[in-house]
Amino acid sequence: MSKYYITTPIYYINDVPHIGHAYTTIAADVLARYHRAKGDDVFFLTGTDEHGAKIAEAAAKAGKTPREFVDDLRPKFKETWKKLNISYDQFFATTNPKHEEYVQDFVEDLEQNGFIEKREYEGLYCVACEKFLKEAELVEGCCPDHKKPPVKQKEENYFFKLSEFQDKLLERIESGELEIGPASRKNEIVGKIKQGLEDISISRAAVEWGVAFPGDPKQTIYVWIDALLNYYTATKIYGDDIETSPSPSHPLHLASHQAEEELSAGGPAWPANLHLMAKDILWFHSVIWPAMLLAADLPLPKKVFAHGFFTVNGQKMSKTIGNVIDPNEVVDKYGADAVRFYLLSAFPFGEDGDVSLEKLDQAYNKLANEVGNLVQRTLSMINKYSIDPKLEARSLKLGKVKIPDSRFQIPVAEELNNLDFAGALRKIMTVAEEQNKYIAEKQPWTLAKEGKADLLNEVLLSVYNNLVGLSDALLPFIPETAEKMKKQLETLEPEPIFPKLT
Ligand code: MSP
């Protein structure tokens, strides 16, 4: 059994989750479910990023303390993920006191290892990005992503010596030890690292809502350092080695090795197999995060993959434009499966794309026609034609038919290993289309009329077996539908899976 530890970003909890957050989380869920079905020891982590100026500002605006604010919003994320059938193993909140302690320990480790230095710093800070921007990055004096001017900040801060990791990072990335995908983005990252890495400030004097900097309570730890560490501290908090490895000098380091050895039932162990996110935060995950781990002598994640950004009806999703899609609303109308299916089949994972409610509607109908109807028709015919005693005897056995033989399995391992969700779904839907065509061509009703019982039996058995293969392949993508299919294939009682949209 191999371990598979997969993560989503922890989303800023300054507002309710939107469809963009759902996109990454659904993709991670498909992989988690796929690996579970394969028998891997999966740990799927998601959560919320709860500290920093951005959250403190949102809380103030809502007239709440930051703590009240995040405690009130956190359930919204959990509810949305539940609605979308997200099978996470843990929901991580950075306000977890254990996490805060481990973050401080980690920063102390970096200090002990000589990678932290106090310096005067003046820079342009974008609160929405929670990062300093360079003059050259600004577009007409504004942050290119948020279209707002950054604020000038002058502080004495603690710096992480990122510049010392340029060669080590390049070595790990170019050797493939740290995999970055897709390839085009890997090349961008490598090019940028080669231009040189600058040390980064990892504390804030002006931000109160955060983890206190060890030894200097007037400063808090930079929210991104706190956030990235969630992937690692989760293995300390929820891993199987909890409290089993007290080591006063390097508690984090030793525990991680133990965790790797001791992992047995379900707990996460460092390193992660895959960090998923969009391109906006790839630099943090493929450069800053690995450098932090190298500085603490910890293993690097195996793979970091950035998908694209999507627009809605050709425009960036924004509250001002009013085109933000609430995942809860679309799930209420179309069900979780159609939303999951649509988002992952709309455009290639890794590229930018566009989504719209009209196309979601079409995707729902495609599922209803190609898959839902196919199940109904097949099972109705199996029931209807089993009047023939010979057929009846066989059809009674249908539910227990020993399958699938390899003919009926739809091989999507390669696509899923490459995170090609759209490709996998295309392959699966092709099988459904072929079965529909096969029925149209063989016309079981004509075979019945002509008394060709053996042929009729063979045709329906073949479709039946393909439906079993289909339900297996669909399981990670649209679990509710796949479960319904499996149940109906077992009981041979057809029930509508995709009701007509009202
Ligand atoms: N809190 C940080 C992440 C810290 S991880 C250690 C953060 N949060 S965020 O709320 O802004 O989430 C960003 C992520 O949300 C993106 O990387 C992506 O996963 C997802 N997306 C948000 N909008 C999206 C689109 N319009 N399209 C695709 N993904 C989107 O950054």
Side-chain angles (χ1 to χ4, degrees), residues 10-12 18 20-21 24 49 224 231 278 280-281 307-310:
I10 46 172
Y11 305 108
Y12 286 128
H18 61 62
H21 305 132
T24 320
D49 192 350
W224 263 103
Y231 304 131
D280 55 338
I281 54 176
H307 60 72
F309 245 62
F310 59 73

Side-chain angles (χ1 to χ4, degrees), residues 8-14 18-25 48-50 54 77 128-129 146 223-231 276-282 284-285 307-312 316-317 347 352-353:
T8 72
I10 46 172
Y11 305 108
Y12 286 128
I13 196 164
N14 59 322
H18 61 62
I19 198 83
H21 305 132
Y23 183 58
T24 320
T25 312
T48 39
D49 192 350
E50 305 194 345
K54 187 179 173 112
F77 279 82
C129 291
H146 297 98
V223 63
W224 263 103
I225 301 294
D226 167 6
L228 287 163
L229 274 166
N230 93 88
Y231 304 131
L276 267 191
M277 76 223 64
K279 59 183 186 179
D280 55 338
I281 54 176
L282 180 60
F284 281 104
H285 283 81
H307 60 72
F309 245 62
F310 59 73
T311 46
V312 175
K316 194 183 160 174
M317 237 190 315
F347 57 93
D352 291 339

Side-chain angles (χ1 to χ4, degrees), residues 91-369:
F91 188 96
F92 197 98
T94 50
T95 44
N96 180 330
K98 284 190 193 145
H99 166 74
E100 298 181 356
E101 259 175 55
Y102 285 126
V103 168
Q104 290 178 324
D105 288 352
F106 185 92
V107 170
E108 275 173 2
D109 274 7
L110 294 194
E111 242 168 354
Q112 270 174 26
N113 290 355
F115 293 114
I116 289 188
E117 212 173 79
K118 201 172 185 182
R119 293 179 202 160
E120 175 89 357
Y121 189 67
E122 186 173 324
L124 296 165
Y125 198 76
C126 171
V127 175
C129 291
E130 288 283 17
K131 69 176 182 189
F132 280 106
L133 299 174
K134 288 190 195 140
E135 203 75 64
E137 288 175 296
L138 305 184
V139 177
E140 291 170 0
C142 291
C143 160
D145 286 340
H146 297 98
K147 317 275 183 242
K148 279 188 210 148
V151 229
K152 204 170 235 173
Q153 278 188 8
K154 187 176 176 181
E155 294 182 354
E156 207 173 30
N157 288 156
Y158 292 89
F159 273 72
F160 170 52
K161 296 183 188 169
L162 180 65
S163 58
E164 296 196 9
F165 293 92
Q166 182 165 342
D167 293 340
K168 278 189 207 146
L169 280 174
L170 281 175
E171 204 181 286
R172 304 287 183 113
I173 295 171
E174 286 180 330
S175 70
E177 210 181 312
L178 167 61
E179 230 185 294
I180 300 177
S184 56
R185 299 220 188 277
K186 171 182 169 176
N187 296 339
E188 273 172 34
I189 294 286
V190 167
K192 225 171 136 189
I193 298 176
K194 284 184 177 163
Q195 285 171 20
L197 293 177
E198 284 176 19
D199 296 343
I200 55 161
S201 153
I202 59 156
S203 73
R204 295 286 179 271
V207 178
E208 260 176 61
W209 179 239
V211 181
F213 202 89
D216 190 345
K218 282 201 225 78
Q219 304 240 1
T220 54
I221 294 170
Y222 175 35
V223 63
W224 263 103
I225 301 294
D226 167 6
L228 287 163
L229 274 166
N230 93 88
Y231 304 131
Y232 177 67
T233 65
T235 66
K236 308 282 301 162
I237 300 171
Y238 307 111
D240 294 336
D241 65 327
I242 316 167
E243 313 301 335
T244 59
S245 51
S247 163
S249 57
H250 274 88
L252 296 165
H253 184 183
L254 283 183
S256 101
H257 290 298
Q258 279 208 345
E260 253 173 290
E261 280 161 21
E262 288 178 6
L263 181 79
S264 52
W270 189 253
N273 294 69
L274 177 64
H275 292 315
L276 267 191
M277 76 223 64
K279 59 183 186 179
D280 55 338
I281 54 176
L282 180 60
W283 180 256
F284 281 104
H285 283 81
S286 60
V287 176
I288 296 173
W289 175 226
M292 284 164 62
L293 290 164
L294 287 172
D297 292 323
L298 285 165
L300 302 190
K302 298 215 181 338
K303 185 168 175 169
V304 173
F305 190 97
H307 60 72
F309 245 62
F310 59 73
T311 46
V312 175
N313 289 320
Q315 280 178 303
K316 194 183 160 174
M317 237 190 315
S318 97
K319 274 194 181 165
T320 344
I321 301 174
N323 63 347
V324 179
I325 299 181
D326 176 351
N328 297 293
E329 277 175 23
V330 282
V331 170
D332 286 343
K333 173 153 185 206
Y334 296 96
D337 282 352
V339 175
R340 294 170 64 108
F341 173 79
Y342 172 56
L343 288 179
L344 291 183
S345 56
F347 57 93
F349 200 68
E351 290 173 26
D352 291 339
D354 186 55
V355 300
S356 71
L357 291 179
E358 292 74 46
K359 284 185 269 169
L360 169 56
D361 215 90
Q362 287 164 14
Y364 180 93
N365 288 324
K366 182 168 174 168
L367 273 180
N369 294 334

